[in-house]
């Protein structure tokens, strides 16, 4: 038990050190959603009318609408970036070092997941603080209430990254992750438009959005910002987390894993 | 007496290609064993299996009396590994790197600090503890990886071609150091290499070629009346 905790602290600490040393990564993680918030949302405000829908009780500006989606975006990028770092770790051999630890492998992978979630939450709060400075703020209780939502969403996206890292064999393939995972997940979700707006364009697109676990992660954050729980979204995110995690544990199983294939 | 490392009937395939075919040998405690084989002989596959990176299709590995398949935690805790590829965090200090590794073995606090000091002293690197790994040369990085592999007090030390890319002097000093670890501290050492000159006459020798064991015994006896180099080339078809 004690050994497991020591291991967790060390892995989180190492990931945090690595994150701090990569200032560019932090800067990109914060600037990206801010550009969306300040430039994209400003342009869209005029074009897009939003009706009153839960959890909102009054008309809101588009900037307010996309903040939860941008929080999700930060976590999406962060989760994928940590999967990139896992592929890098594997190419550089430090993954081997990790996997030869006598601590059970599922716990080691969970520690990695926990570390990447913690880092993504730190980024989200930094973004929210800057957004608040530009006048796009929420209630203090809302900021607190999104913490559990961010944890669940971060774990779900981190597990997806872990699953991808067990199947991606080389760093070059990461561009594919960008095209085939990050972009579709983000654009085909409720991050930028509500479901009914999507339905106006196409019912198929609407159905894809409703199926996308990232949509549910975003809705979970959106409701939490107003002190509410979207139970359906929570269930959906937990289900996706369970599926992604089992997939990655399967991928890292020594008896049939990717490491079995000769590198 | 239980042997340090017991490898029994290991067979492993990549698709249709048999990488290892019924590999078996047993190493007593305190024995230095050179695993000699040309490139592609199956040494790295065997190392991946010994470190439980993956599970073989057949066979069993016993580490200091613990089965790697049935008690992976206990068996892995008894193994120290130096991989062929360097596995250090270049931007962290020597001490930070070692602390991270200690934590992966559940060691922290004063106990970890004490072990780090001792193992660095053993490789004459105590004064480099606060330096970033990036500032160290290849030889020192390798020494540090050996120190790291010994931190948790293993019974078996596995080294996969640890002298690759090092100059002759550093190579000989590291080879000498690890020989001493076996004879003085009773560590069982498995040293994979394709360089015959790293093998001493008194070493135990296992020759691996195309996934099969071609010789298993005392190096001097295997060489017989010719040099080990000549004998090795005979066994492996002159490297063809």
């Amino acid at each position: 038990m004690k050994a497991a905790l020591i291991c967790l602290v060390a892995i989180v600490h190492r990931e945090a050190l690595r994150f701090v040393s990569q200032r560019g990564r932090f800067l990109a993680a914060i600037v990206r959603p801010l550009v969306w918030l300040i430039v994209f949302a400003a342009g869209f405000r005029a074009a897009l009318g939003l009706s009153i829908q839960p959890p909102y009780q009054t008309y809101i500006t588009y900037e307010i609408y996309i903040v939860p989606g941008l929080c999700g975006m930060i976590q999406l990028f962060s989760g994928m970036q940590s999967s990139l770092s896992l592929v890098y770790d594997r190419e550089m051999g430090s993954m081997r070092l990790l996997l030869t630890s006598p601590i059970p492998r599922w716990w080691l992978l969970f520690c990695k997941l926990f570390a990447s979630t913690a880092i993504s939450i730190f980024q989200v709060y930094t973004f929210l603080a800057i957004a608040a400075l530009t006048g796009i703020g929420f209630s203090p209780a809302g900021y607190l209430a999104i913490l559990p939502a961010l944890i669940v969403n971060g774990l779900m996206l981190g597990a997806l990254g872990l699953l991808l890292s067990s199947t991606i064999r080389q760093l070059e393939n990461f561009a594919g992750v960008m095209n085939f995972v990050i972009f579709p997940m983000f654009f085909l979700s409720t991050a930028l438009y509500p479901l009914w707006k999507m339905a106006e364009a196409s019912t198929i697109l609407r159905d894809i959005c409703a199926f996308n676990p990232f949509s549910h992660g975003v809705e979970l954050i959106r409701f939490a910002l107003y002190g509410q729980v979207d139970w359906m979204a929570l269930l959906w995110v937990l289900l996706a987390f369970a599926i992604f995690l089992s997939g990655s544990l399967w991928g890292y199983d020594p008896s049939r894993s990717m490491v079995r294939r000769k590198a | 007496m239980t042997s340090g490392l017991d490898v029994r009937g290991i067979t492993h395939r990549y698709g249709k290609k048999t990488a290892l075919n019924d590999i078996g040998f047993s190493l007593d405690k305190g024995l230095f064993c050179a695993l000699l084989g040309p490139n592609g002989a199956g040494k790295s596959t065997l190392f991946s299996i010994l470190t439980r990176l993956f599970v073989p299709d057949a066979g069993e590995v016993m580490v200091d009396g613990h089965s790697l398949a049935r008690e992976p935690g206990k068996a892995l805790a008894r193994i120290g590994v130096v991989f062929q590829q360097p596995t250090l965090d270049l931007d962290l200090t020597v001490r930070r790197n070692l602390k991270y590794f200690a934590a992966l073995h559940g060691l922290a606090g004063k106990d970890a600090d004490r072990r780090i000091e001792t193992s660095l002293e053993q490789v004459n690197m105590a004064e480099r503890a606060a330096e970033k790994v990036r500032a160290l040369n290849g030889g020192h990085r390798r020494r540090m990886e050996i120190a790291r592999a010994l931190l948790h007090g293993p019974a078996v030390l596995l080294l996969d071609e640890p002298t690759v890319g090092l100059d002759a002097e550093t190579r000989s000093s590291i080879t000498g150091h690890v020989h001493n670890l076996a004879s003085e501290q009773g560590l069982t050492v498995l040293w994979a290499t394709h360089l015959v000159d790293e093998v001493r006459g008194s070493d135990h020798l296992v020759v691996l070629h195309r996934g099969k064991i071609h010789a298993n015994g005392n190096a001097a006896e295997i060489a017989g009346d010719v040099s080990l180099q000549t004998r090795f080339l005979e066994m492996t078809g002159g490297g063809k």
Side-chain angles (χ1 to χ4, degrees):
Chain A
M1 186 60 205
K2 193 176 159 226
L5 278 181
I6 292 174
C7 194
L8 174 69
V9 171
I11 291 177
V12 172
H13 187 226
R14 179 172 179 270
E15 295 298 315
L17 279 179
R18 189 189 261 190
F19 177 72
V20 170
S21 69
Q22 297 173 335
R23 288 206 193 91
R25 178 180 155 193
F26 183 43
L27 204 65
I30 299 302
V31 168
R32 195 181 302 119
L34 281 175
V35 167
W36 279 86
L37 185 65
I38 293 161
V39 182
F40 180 84
F44 254 61
R45 181 160 54 173
L48 199 76
L50 291 172
S51 66
I52 297 173
Q53 61 167 63
Y56 306 111
Q57 287 166 349
T58 155
Y59 281 107
I60 47 152
T61 61
Y62 187 62
E63 283 98 329
I64 294 288
Y65 179 81
I66 69 165
V67 165
L70 296 178
C71 293
M73 176 203 231
I74 295 173
Q75 292 199 294
L76 180 62
F77 268 92
S78 180
M80 295 311 118
Q81 222 136 22
S82 54
S83 88
L84 172 79
S85 83
L86 284 170
V87 177
Y88 176 82
D89 274 0
R90 207 168 67 226
E91 287 198 345
M92 293 299 123
S94 43
M95 194 68 180
R96 290 190 113 187
L97 192 70
L98 184 75
L99 297 179
T100 52
S101 154
I103 313 267
R105 195 171 282 195
W106 66 266
W107 177 253
L108 294 170
L109 294 175
F110 178 79
C111 290
K112 277 269 181 193
L113 205 54
F114 186 84
S116 86
T117 305
I119 287 168
S120 79
I121 290 176
F122 173 73
Q123 295 174 29
V124 168
Y125 275 111
T126 310
F127 161 71
L128 287 173
I130 299 175
L133 288 179
T134 65
I136 304 162
F138 300 86
S139 74
Y143 286 124
L144 202 62
I146 59 167
L147 184 60
L150 292 175
I151 293 174
V152 182
N153 194 42
L155 287 175
M156 186 264 285
L157 295 170
L160 174 64
L162 205 57
L163 174 62
L164 291 172
S165 78
S166 72
T167 49
I168 302 170
R169 294 182 61 200
Q170 280 171 342
L171 286 176
E172 291 75 46
N173 294 354
F174 198 74
V177 171
M178 195 84 170
N179 275 331
F180 296 107
V181 181
I182 295 186
F183 287 157
M185 267 194 117
F186 181 65
F187 288 114
L188 291 171
S189 77
T190 55
L192 297 178
Y193 327 98
L195 273 183
W196 64 264
K197 202 82 190 166
M198 276 286 183
E200 280 179 4
S202 141
T203 49
I204 295 174
L205 278 184
R206 186 216 159 273
D207 292 345
I208 295 175
C209 285
F211 182 76
N212 183 354
F214 182 70
S215 290
H216 296 279
V218 170
E219 291 311 303
L220 197 62
I221 298 170
R222 189 187 311 285
F223 277 76
L225 262 177
Y226 295 89
Q228 299 173 34
V229 183
D230 183 342
W231 293 104
M232 196 58 207
L234 178 63
L235 194 72
W236 202 251
V237 172
L238 288 177
L239 185 70
F241 173 55
I243 293 172
F244 295 153
L245 189 65
S246 338
S248 44
L249 289 179
W250 184 82
Y252 278 99
D253 183 327
S255 62
R256 60 190 152 212
S257 67
M258 82 297 161
V259 280
R260 188 186 169 92
R261 282 177 250 147
K262 208 167 181 180
Chain B
M1 191 178 85
T2 52
S3 49
L5 182 67
D6 205 354
V7 178
R8 300 171 185 164
I10 296 285
T11 296
H12 194 73
R13 294 181 194 87
Y14 295 113
K16 282 184 183 163
K17 186 178 171 280
T18 303
L20 293 174
N21 190 357
D22 197 19
I23 300 297
F25 55 88
S26 179
L27 306 178
D28 286 340
K29 287 178 179 165
L31 197 69
F32 184 104
C33 173
L35 178 70
L36 189 61
N39 293 328
K43 299 191 296 292
S44 289
T45 302
L46 183 59
F47 262 78
S48 296
I49 288 168
L50 293 179
T51 51
R52 202 173 167 264
L53 212 56
F54 50 75
V55 173
D57 294 334
E60 188 173 34
V61 179
M62 301 290 290
V63 183
D64 199 23
H66 300 288
S67 160
L68 195 56
R70 276 172 281 131
E71 307 171 280
K74 282 186 179 161
L76 285 172
R78 306 300 291 147
I79 298 179
V81 198
V82 176
F83 292 109
Q84 190 174 354
Q85 233 180 355
T87 53
L88 297 165
D89 238 320
L90 297 182
D91 294 316
L92 298 184
T93 64
V94 170
R95 184 176 282 116
R96 266 266 151 257
N97 264 285
L98 296 178
K99 270 191 175 248
Y100 173 65
F101 179 81
L104 289 184
H105 280 262
L107 303 169
K110 286 197 177 126
D111 181 30
D113 290 340
R114 190 180 45 78
R115 285 167 186 264
I116 289 170
E117 295 311 319
T118 316
S119 61
L120 282 177
E121 273 164 22
Q122 272 189 346
V123 292
N124 298 325
M125 279 185 63
E127 74 285 358
R128 317 294 294 260
E131 283 181 38
K132 283 198 174 179
V133 174
R134 199 177 285 282
L136 303 180
N137 64 31
H140 278 115
R141 289 183 193 182
R142 268 287 121 124
R143 279 168 191 270
M144 193 194 140
E145 287 190 296
I146 293 171
R148 182 179 66 185
L150 298 173
L151 264 189
H152 56 293
V156 178
L157 182 60
L158 306 174
L159 305 101
D160 189 6
E161 309 212 7
T163 56
V164 164
L166 300 180
D167 61 51
E169 196 188 331
T170 315
R171 260 180 61 201
S172 110
S173 121
I174 287 182
T175 317
H177 176 64
V178 177
H179 271 94
N180 290 345
L181 287 173
S183 58
E184 289 167 13
Q185 299 186 20
L187 268 171
T188 306
V189 174
L190 183 66
W191 174 288
T193 183
H194 61 273
L195 302 167
V196 179
D197 64 353
E198 290 180 352
V199 186
R200 293 182 183 173
S202 56
D203 291 342
H204 189 92
L205 177 65
V206 171
V207 177
L208 193 65
H209 181 47
R210 291 184 182 154
K212 279 188 180 167
I213 290 188
H214 285 245
N216 178 12
N218 176 270
E221 285 170 17
I222 290 171
D225 47 6
V226 295
S227 74
L228 189 57
Q229 178 79 36
T230 313
R231 182 68 74 211
F232 178 58
L233 288 176
E234 273 173 22
M235 285 181 199
T236 57
K240 272 178 269 180

